[in-house]
Each structure stands twice: as C-alpha cells, then as structure tokens.
Amino acid sequence: MGYTFNDIDYTFTEIQETSFSGNNDIRHNFRISNTYENEHWEFSLGWLWRSGAPFTDADLVDDTIEFGATNAKRLPAYHRLDVSAIYRFKINQKGNWRGQLGASILNIYNRQVPLSIGYRLDDTATGEIQLDRLQQESLGIMPNMVFRLYF
C-alpha cells in the first residue's frame, strides 16, 4: 500500500502575479496491491486511485485562443483495477530450464478519463476558424499475455 501527496506550485512574477499549480500537480495518489503465491501459481490484484491533473481552460474569441487562469481547473479523478495470474513450471528435471505462462488485465472495468487537455485553432471547410479541444484519454481495458523461458 502506498500514498503520495504532491503540492506543486509555480511562481513567475514576471509573467503572472499569482502562483499556479504545476502540470504535474497530482495532489493525491493511492495504490494498494496484494499477491498470493503457492508452488506453481502467483495471483495479483491491484487498485490505483489518483486525483486529477490541473489544466488551463480556453475559449475562442475573435479567431484567437483566449486562455483562462493558468491550471485553474482539474481533470476528473482516475482509478483502475488490475489483475494478473502466472503459472510457473520446470522444463527439465534439474530445474535449470524453467518457464512462466501468465495473463493480466489492466483497467478491468474499462474506465476511460482524460489525462491531459490542449487546444489548437483549426480552419474548417467553410473558412471559419474553430477551437479544437485535444483530449488525451487513458487506455481502456488492456489484456496482456506473457511467456518466459529461463535457461
């Protein structure tokens, strides 16, 4: 189990009078995981929760991007549940050739949330200028397989 607290503020008096949250100011980050092992099997379960990262909102005003207060808004919180299983086996009697076969599923409940937001101006087919909101989202459910040989 682990918890991290971050409070990252930047101050640039030449640019802005007040301090603002840094892009990496993810205040709370909590993880918990557990593993069960026996002779041939290993099962793991892990859960991660973190508060949302700050971002700067923007609007289109007279064909120009007008930004709001720097990093004044926050993305939604992010959490996911991961599970994995590994089977270990010997290939020969001496045990110097061994193998592992495993599977894992990250983000079991397929939760997708924005991880970052940016903006750009875009010319439409009619010649109008519009503001595109570029949103990078977390990956959905992610199955993985592994096969390892040790010799």
Side-chain angles (χ1 to χ4, degrees):
M1 181 168 32
Y3 173 76
T4 304
F5 174 79
N6 287 316
D7 187 5
I8 302 168
D9 288 333
Y10 292 134
T11 305
F12 300 104
T13 53
E14 297 83 19
I15 300 171
Q16 183 173 315
E17 291 180 18
T18 59
S19 297
F20 59 92
S21 296
N23 291 344
N24 55 346
D25 182 20
I26 297 171
R27 295 279 163 97
H28 306 280
N29 193 338
F30 176 76
R31 292 178 181 265
I32 188 167
S33 61
N34 201 0
T35 302
Y36 170 78
E37 291 184 54
N38 67 22
E39 185 179 347
H40 294 286
W41 287 95
E42 179 180 317
F43 300 98
S44 297
L45 185 68
W47 188 70
L48 161 76
W49 176 89
R50 71 175 207 193
S51 54
F55 74 99
T56 304
D57 204 12
D59 285 317
L60 184 63
V61 177
D62 297 326
D63 295 341
T64 304
I65 299 177
E66 188 173 294
F67 290 99
T70 306
N71 285 347
K73 294 199 172 190
R74 292 225 171 232
L75 298 171
Y78 171 78
H79 57 89
R80 73 171 201 243
L81 179 66
D82 304 332
V83 64
S84 69
I86 293 177
Y87 178 73
R88 294 184 294 268
F89 56 92
K90 293 180 183 176
I91 296 175
N92 64 1
Q93 292 297 325
K94 292 181 182 178
N96 56 349
W97 282 72
R98 298 171 288 125
Q100 287 184 349
L101 181 61
S104 65
I105 301 174
L106 305 179
N107 195 7
I108 288 176
Y109 41 80
N110 199 25
R111 180 174 161 81
Q112 292 179 274
V113 297
L115 296 178
S116 68
I117 293 177
Y119 300 92
R120 76 170 177 209
L121 292 176
D122 190 19
D123 291 328
T124 65
T126 61
E128 287 184 74
I129 295 177
Q130 70 181 23
L131 182 63
D132 289 341
R133 182 175 170 150
L134 308 173
Q135 187 166 294
Q136 180 184 18
E137 289 195 347
S138 60
L139 294 174
I141 192 168
M142 286 293 302
N144 295 285
M145 298 286 293
V146 63
F147 177 69
R148 293 183 184 126
L149 290 176
Y150 300 93
F151 52 91

